[in-house]
Amino acid sequence: EAGVAQSPRYKIIEKRQSVAFWCNPISGHATLYWYQQILGQGPKLLIQFQNNGVVDDSQLPKDRFSAERLKGVDSTLKIQPAKLEDSAVYLCASSLESGGQYFGPGTRLTVT
Amino acid sequence: QKEVEQDPGPLSVPEGAIVSLNCTYSNSAFQYFMWYRQYSRKGPELLMYTYSSGNKEDGRFTAQVDKSSKYISLFIRDSQPSDSATYLCASHTGGFKTIFGAGTRLFVKA
């Protein structure tokens, strides 16, 4: 069974630029999550999708972050414009309903 | 107060030792409890997923939840150098907004 796929693996951008991350969850997983993990901290949930719909985006900085999940499968997370404090690893995870989450390898973002 | 707290370590043990990793949580509504292992520059890997109080065993790993004291534990028997990683505990109330601890770094010396 293929795991959660993410791309790119690494990205370096300057502040005020925009960036997008892509995630393909495990086949059949209805729930998809985006997390931000800053060095030395645990993952922080940014947004959670159930199929196409958003069930939690309370910690998503909506003035600069956006996410979508078209057709209930793939998802993209965008940051525009980026700030220095957005430097982190962005993790995508998926699960069957409310089960344990399976994570992708993450995208390491550096904002200079 | 953070909702899920872990001692960041590092915790260093000799190969073959029994390792005890612990978390405390503050939200009494948490019902589901998880342990993840994260190697450097990798995504977290689900180790254990439990519901409510009690013990769950899987190979060398045992997860223990005590809801009366809001305490979560992970025990690793016969620890191996390959167990060296950061261990994250996490909880949620039922499908929404999983809260992670900051992780405990474990080193198992050969």
Side-chain angles (χ1 to χ4, degrees), chain B residues 5-80:
Chain B
E5 300 218 44
Q6 284 183 264
D7 185 331
L11 178 63
S12 183
V13 302
E15 183 176 358
I18 296 174
V19 176
S20 173
L21 301 166
N22 307 295
C23 285
T24 59
Y25 65 94
S26 58
N27 187 345
S28 57
F30 283 151
Q31 293 285 347
Y32 297 85
F33 304 92
M34 292 141 283
W35 282 97
Y36 289 85
R37 177 174 61 194
Q38 187 171 26
Y39 292 114
S40 180
R41 296 184 175 270
K42 302 286 187 182
E45 173 192 1
L46 180 65
L47 288 177
M48 304 290 278
Y49 182 76
T50 58
Y51 171 73
S52 195
S53 283
N55 292 358
K56 182 175 182 179
E57 187 174 321
D58 184 0
R60 295 186 296 113
F61 298 92
T62 299
Q64 196 171 78
V65 177
D66 182 347
K67 293 191 70 181
S68 63
S69 59
K70 296 189 178 69
Y71 203 78
I72 313 163
S73 300
L74 178 71
F75 299 96
I76 307 174
R77 291 183 298 280
D78 188 26
S79 56
Q80 304 295 310

Side-chain angles (χ1 to χ4, degrees), chain A residues 14-73:
Chain A
E14 295 182 352
K15 59 184 179 183
R16 291 188 289 275
Q17 286 187 326
S18 63
V19 64
F21 311 126
W22 172 83
C23 173
N24 181 243
I26 293 173
S27 177
H29 280 193
T31 310
L32 185 147
Y33 315 76
W34 283 103
Y35 288 89
Q36 179 192 60
Q37 187 175 25
I38 293 172
L39 188 65
Q41 299 181 20
K44 182 182 85 170
L45 180 68
L46 293 176
I47 189 166
Q48 179 176 341
F49 293 94
Q50 183 81 14
N51 295 307
N52 289 348
V54 176
V55 296
D56 192 313
D57 63 356
S58 57
Q59 298 188 104
L60 186 73
K62 298 179 184 66
D63 58 334
R64 298 184 301 105
F65 286 64
S66 65
E68 61 181 5
R69 189 181 186 195
L70 299 176
K71 300 181 181 178
V73 183

